Amino acid sequence: MSRLFTRRGVTTGLIAGAGGLLSGCDALGRNETFRKILYSGDDANRTLQRLVSDRNALAREYAAPEMSPRFRTNGTRNPNTDAYNALAANDFADWRLNIGGLVERPLNIGIDRLRSLPARTQITRHDCVEGWSAIGKWTGPRLSMLLDAARLKPEARYIVFHCADRYRGGTVPYYESIDLIDAFHPQTILAWAMNDAPLSVGHGAPVRLRVERQLGYKHAKYVMGIEAVASLAGIGGGKGGLWEDIAGYDWYAGI
Ligand SMILES: Nc1nc2c(c(=O)[nH]1)N[C@H]1C(S)=C(S)[C@@H](COP(=O)(O)O)O[C@H]1N2
Ligand SMILES: [Mo]
């Protein structure tokens, strides 16, 4: 078990992040790698800095009465593979999340551990590219906390999410990816609860990504593995996500 996951480690991490909970700039600023990449050179980077702070703006959050009475499921509603069905039959007690790739300290944690980490709850609007939206409440640890614990190597540029489901039951696994700005955005969480209940199979059990500044297809459900990479070229069809590969969707789907 990594040292940051001891109670003391988590507390220390939280104190370091206190006051930064709602500030994406702080989240970015805590990461030396970003600083070097983004703020090297000086005034030539002013435009870039402005873009980065826009990218760090928070998605709107809503009040409980604004939550949608019905939140539809979309895409895969059940991965229905033998492996997934076995995990689901046991209430995901045997599910393990792997965090690897370009990290100093690969992590492998179970669902109980994930649920015991300090969590963020946010009520946000999900916008699907197909033209529907719904407001729901999501709870889970910030992705940044896990990436900090795993310690990204300096070459890491993207975070890839490997999912349990296969496109239309075929052989192509669903996957998605985001850059480090979104990975460290304060509202980017690994949600294990929706609307105060454990995530249902339809909505991505046991864990799905919420990346609130982007469209629905970026919010990977059924997350099994998280991989830090330097380039997206070697993953899937190379465009950073299943829909990007097969349907030409934009990799950056900002809203
Ligand atoms: N693993 C996986 N994640 C996925 C999908 C999918 O088919 N498989 N569909 C995406 C799309 S297009 C949308 S709109 C949302 C739907 O999330 P929901 O089922 O909770 O409404 O999940 C996204 N994440
Ligand atoms: Mo979607």
Side-chain angles (χ1 to χ4, degrees), residues 163-207:
C163 305
D165 58 319
R166 292 168 187 275
Y167 177 62
R168 292 195 178 148
T171 55
V172 187
Y174 200 97
Y175 79 102
E176 257 306 338
S177 62
I178 57 178
D179 64 16
L180 298 187
I181 296 174
D182 268 327
F184 283 82
H185 187 284
Q187 289 168 318
T188 299
I189 63 173
L190 291 179
W192 49 263
M194 175 190 182
N195 297 351
D196 297 314
L199 204 57
S200 65
V201 167
H203 288 292
V207 167

Coordinates of all heavy atoms in Angstrom, one line a residue, residues 163-207:
C163 N -11.7 0.6 -20.2 CA -13.0 0.2 -19.6 C -13.3 -1.3 -19.8 O -12.6 -1.9 -20.6 CB -14.1 1.0 -20.3 SG -13.8 2.8 -20.2
A164 N -14.3 -1.8 -19.1 CA -14.6 -3.2 -19.2 C -15.4 -3.6 -20.4 O -15.4 -4.7 -20.7 CB -15.3 -3.6 -17.9
D165 N -16.0 -2.6 -21.0 CA -17.0 -2.9 -22.1 C -16.3 -2.9 -23.5 O -15.4 -2.2 -23.7 CB -18.2 -2.0 -22.0 CG -17.9 -0.6 -22.1 OD1 -16.9 -0.1 -21.5 OD2 -18.6 0.2 -22.9
R166 N -17.0 -3.6 -24.4 CA -16.5 -3.7 -25.8 C -17.6 -3.1 -26.7 O -18.8 -3.4 -26.5 CB -16.2 -5.1 -26.1 CG -15.0 -5.5 -25.3 CD -14.6 -6.9 -25.3 NE -13.5 -7.0 -24.3 CZ -12.3 -6.8 -24.6 NH1 -11.9 -6.5 -25.8 NH2 -11.4 -6.8 -23.6
Y167 N -17.2 -2.4 -27.6 CA -18.1 -1.7 -28.5 C -19.0 -2.8 -29.2 O -18.5 -3.7 -29.9 CB -17.4 -0.9 -29.6 CG -18.3 -0.3 -30.6 CD1 -19.2 0.7 -30.2 CD2 -18.2 -0.6 -31.9 CE1 -20.0 1.3 -31.1 CE2 -19.0 0.0 -32.9 CZ -19.9 0.9 -32.4 OH -20.8 1.5 -33.4
R168 N -20.3 -2.6 -29.0 CA -21.3 -3.5 -29.5 C -21.0 -5.0 -29.3 O -21.2 -5.8 -30.2 CB -21.6 -3.2 -31.0 CG -22.3 -1.8 -31.1 CD -22.9 -1.6 -32.5 NE -23.5 -0.3 -32.5 CZ -23.6 0.5 -33.5 NH1 -23.1 0.1 -34.7 NH2 -24.2 1.7 -33.4
G169 N -20.4 -5.3 -28.2 CA -20.1 -6.7 -27.9 C -19.0 -7.3 -28.7 O -18.7 -8.5 -28.6
G170 N -18.3 -6.5 -29.4 CA -17.2 -6.9 -30.3 C -15.9 -7.0 -29.5 O -15.9 -7.3 -28.3
T171 N -14.8 -6.8 -30.2 CA -13.5 -6.9 -29.6 C -12.8 -5.6 -29.2 O -11.8 -5.6 -28.6 CB -12.6 -7.7 -30.6 OG1 -12.5 -7.0 -31.8 CG2 -13.0 -9.1 -30.8
V172 N -13.4 -4.5 -29.6 CA -12.8 -3.2 -29.4 C -13.2 -2.7 -28.0 O -14.4 -2.3 -27.8 CB -13.2 -2.2 -30.5 CG1 -12.4 -1.0 -30.4 CG2 -13.0 -2.8 -31.9
P173 N -12.2 -2.6 -27.1 CA -12.6 -2.1 -25.8 C -12.9 -0.5 -25.8 O -12.2 0.2 -26.5 CB -11.4 -2.4 -24.9 CG -10.4 -3.0 -25.8 CD -10.8 -2.9 -27.2
Y174 N -13.8 -0.1 -25.0 CA -14.0 1.3 -24.8 C -12.8 1.9 -24.1 O -12.3 1.3 -23.2 CB -15.3 1.6 -24.0 CG -15.9 3.0 -24.2 CD1 -16.9 3.2 -25.1 CD2 -15.4 4.1 -23.5 CE1 -17.4 4.5 -25.3 CE2 -15.9 5.3 -23.6 CZ -16.9 5.6 -24.5 OH -17.4 6.8 -24.7
Y175 N -12.4 3.0 -24.5 CA -11.4 3.7 -23.8 C -11.5 5.2 -24.1 O -12.2 5.6 -25.0 CB -10.0 3.2 -24.2 CG -9.4 3.8 -25.5 CD1 -8.5 4.8 -25.5 CD2 -9.9 3.3 -26.7 CE1 -8.0 5.4 -26.7 CE2 -9.4 3.9 -27.9 CZ -8.5 4.9 -27.9 OH -8.0 5.4 -29.1
E176 N -11.0 6.0 -23.2 CA -11.0 7.5 -23.4 C -9.7 8.0 -22.8 O -9.0 7.3 -22.1 CB -12.2 8.1 -22.7 CG -13.3 8.5 -23.7 CD -12.9 9.4 -24.8 OE1 -11.8 10.1 -24.7 OE2 -13.5 9.4 -25.8
S177 N -9.4 9.3 -23.1 CA -8.2 9.9 -22.5 C -8.4 11.4 -22.4 O -9.3 12.0 -23.1 CB -7.0 9.6 -23.5 OG -7.3 10.2 -24.7
I178 N -7.7 12.0 -21.4 CA -7.8 13.4 -21.2 C -6.3 13.9 -21.0 O -5.4 13.1 -20.7 CB -8.6 13.7 -19.9 CG1 -8.1 13.0 -18.7 CG2 -10.1 13.4 -20.2 CD1 -8.9 13.3 -17.4
D179 N -6.1 15.2 -21.1 CA -4.8 15.7 -20.8 C -4.7 16.0 -19.3 O -5.6 15.8 -18.5 CB -4.5 16.9 -21.7 CG -5.4 18.1 -21.4 OD1 -6.1 18.1 -20.4 OD2 -5.4 19.0 -22.3
L180 N -3.5 16.5 -19.0 CA -3.2 16.7 -17.5 C -4.0 17.9 -16.9 O -4.2 17.9 -15.7 CB -1.7 16.9 -17.3 CG -0.8 15.7 -17.7 CD1 0.6 15.9 -17.2 CD2 -1.4 14.4 -17.1
I181 N -4.4 18.8 -17.8 CA -5.2 19.9 -17.3 C -6.5 19.4 -16.8 O -6.9 19.7 -15.7 CB -5.3 21.0 -18.4 CG1 -4.0 21.6 -18.7 CG2 -6.3 22.1 -17.9 CD1 -4.0 22.6 -19.9
D182 N -7.2 18.6 -17.6 CA -8.4 18.0 -17.1 C -8.2 17.0 -16.0 O -9.1 16.8 -15.1 CB -9.2 17.4 -18.3 CG -10.2 18.4 -18.9 OD1 -10.7 19.3 -18.1 OD2 -10.4 18.4 -20.1
A183 N -7.1 16.2 -16.1 CA -6.9 15.2 -15.1 C -6.7 15.9 -13.7 O -7.2 15.3 -12.7 CB -5.6 14.4 -15.4
F184 N -6.2 17.1 -13.6 CA -6.0 17.7 -12.4 C -7.0 18.8 -12.1 O -6.9 19.5 -11.1 CB -4.6 18.3 -12.3 CG -3.5 17.3 -12.0 CD1 -3.0 16.5 -13.1 CD2 -3.1 17.0 -10.7 CE1 -2.0 15.5 -12.8 CE2 -2.1 16.0 -10.5 CZ -1.6 15.3 -11.5
H185 N -8.0 18.9 -12.9 CA -9.1 19.8 -12.7 C -9.9 19.4 -11.4 O -10.1 18.2 -11.2 CB -10.1 19.8 -13.9 CG -11.2 20.8 -13.8 ND1 -12.3 20.7 -13.0 CD2 -11.3 22.0 -14.4 CE1 -13.1 21.7 -13.2 NE2 -12.5 22.5 -14.0
P186 N -10.2 20.3 -10.5 CA -10.8 19.9 -9.2 C -12.1 19.2 -9.3 O -12.5 18.5 -8.4 CB -11.0 21.3 -8.5 CG -10.9 22.3 -9.6 CD -10.0 21.8 -10.7
Q187 N -12.8 19.3 -10.4 CA -14.1 18.6 -10.6 C -13.9 17.2 -11.3 O -14.9 16.6 -11.6 CB -15.2 19.4 -11.3 CG -15.7 20.6 -10.5 CD -16.5 21.5 -11.3 OE1 -16.1 21.8 -12.4 NE2 -17.6 22.0 -10.8
T188 N -12.7 16.9 -11.6 CA -12.5 15.6 -12.3 C -12.4 14.5 -11.2 O -11.4 14.5 -10.4 CB -11.3 15.6 -13.2 OG1 -11.5 16.6 -14.2 CG2 -11.0 14.3 -13.8
I189 N -13.4 13.7 -11.1 CA -13.4 12.7 -10.1 C -13.6 11.3 -10.6 O -14.1 11.1 -11.7 CB -14.5 13.0 -9.0 CG1 -15.9 13.0 -9.6 CG2 -14.2 14.4 -8.4 CD1 -17.0 13.1 -8.6
L190 N -13.3 10.3 -9.8 CA -13.7 8.9 -10.1 C -14.9 8.6 -9.3 O -14.8 8.3 -8.1 CB -12.5 8.0 -9.7 CG -11.3 8.1 -10.6 CD1 -10.2 7.1 -10.1 CD2 -11.6 7.8 -12.1
A191 N -16.1 8.7 -9.9 CA -17.3 8.6 -9.2 C -17.7 7.1 -8.9 O -17.7 6.3 -9.8 CB -18.4 9.3 -10.0
W192 N -17.9 6.9 -7.6 CA -18.4 5.5 -7.3 C -19.9 5.6 -6.8 O -20.5 4.6 -6.5 CB -17.5 4.9 -6.2 CG -17.2 5.7 -5.0 CD1 -16.1 6.5 -4.8 CD2 -18.0 6.0 -3.9 NE1 -16.1 7.2 -3.6 CE2 -17.3 6.9 -3.0 CE3 -19.2 5.5 -3.4 CZ2 -17.8 7.3 -1.8 CZ3 -19.7 5.9 -2.2 CH2 -19.0 6.8 -1.4
A193 N -20.4 6.8 -6.7 CA -21.8 7.0 -6.3 C -22.5 8.0 -7.2 O -21.8 8.9 -7.7 CB -22.0 7.5 -4.9
M194 N -23.7 7.8 -7.5 CA -24.6 8.7 -8.3 C -25.9 8.9 -7.5 O -26.5 7.9 -7.1 CB -24.9 8.1 -9.6 CG -25.8 9.0 -10.5 SD -26.3 8.1 -11.9 CE -27.3 9.3 -12.7
N195 N -26.2 10.1 -7.3 CA -27.5 10.5 -6.6 C -27.6 9.7 -5.3 O -28.6 9.1 -4.9 CB -28.7 10.1 -7.5 CG -28.7 11.0 -8.8 OD1 -27.9 11.9 -8.9 ND2 -29.6 10.7 -9.7
D196 N -26.5 9.7 -4.6 CA -26.4 9.2 -3.2 C -26.5 7.7 -3.1 O -26.7 7.1 -2.0 CB -27.4 9.8 -2.3 CG -27.2 11.3 -2.1 OD1 -26.0 11.7 -1.9 OD2 -28.1 12.1 -2.2
A197 N -26.4 7.0 -4.2 CA -26.4 5.5 -4.2 C -25.2 5.0 -4.9 O -24.7 5.7 -5.8 CB -27.7 5.0 -4.9
P198 N -24.7 3.8 -4.6 CA -23.6 3.2 -5.3 C -24.0 3.2 -6.8 O -25.1 3.0 -7.2 CB -23.5 1.8 -4.8 CG -24.2 1.8 -3.5 CD -25.3 2.9 -3.5
L199 N -23.0 3.5 -7.6 CA -23.2 3.5 -9.1 C -23.8 2.3 -9.6 O -23.4 1.2 -9.3 CB -21.8 3.7 -9.7 CG -21.7 4.4 -11.1 CD1 -22.3 5.8 -11.1 CD2 -20.2 4.5 -11.5
S200 N -24.8 2.4 -10.4 CA -25.5 1.2 -10.9 C -24.7 0.7 -12.1 O -23.9 1.4 -12.7 CB -26.9 1.6 -11.4 OG -26.8 2.5 -12.5
V201 N -25.0 -0.5 -12.5 CA -24.4 -1.1 -13.7 C -24.6 -0.2 -14.9 O -23.8 0.1 -15.7 CB -24.8 -2.5 -13.9 CG1 -24.4 -3.0 -15.3 CG2 -24.2 -3.4 -12.8
G202 N -25.8 0.2 -15.1 CA -26.2 1.1 -16.2 C -25.3 2.3 -16.3 O -25.0 2.8 -17.4
H203 N -25.0 2.9 -15.2 CA -24.3 4.2 -15.2 C -22.8 4.0 -15.0 O -22.0 5.0 -14.9 CB -24.8 5.1 -14.1 CG -26.2 5.7 -14.5 ND1 -26.4 6.6 -15.5 CD2 -27.4 5.5 -13.9 CE1 -27.7 6.9 -15.6 NE2 -28.3 6.2 -14.6
G204 N -22.3 2.7 -15.0 CA -20.8 2.5 -15.1 C -20.2 1.8 -13.9 O -19.0 2.0 -13.7
A205 N -20.9 1.1 -13.1 CA -20.4 0.4 -11.9 C -19.1 -0.4 -12.2 O -19.0 -1.0 -13.3 CB -21.4 -0.5 -11.3
P206 N -18.2 -0.4 -11.3 CA -18.3 0.3 -10.0 C -17.8 1.7 -10.0 O -18.1 2.5 -9.0 CB -17.3 -0.6 -9.1 CG -16.3 -1.0 -10.0 CD -17.0 -1.3 -11.4
V207 N -17.1 2.1 -11.0 CA -16.5 3.5 -11.0 C -16.5 4.0 -12.4 O -16.1 3.3 -13.4 CB -15.0 3.4 -10.5 CG1 -14.3 4.7 -10.8 CG2 -15.0 3.1 -9.0

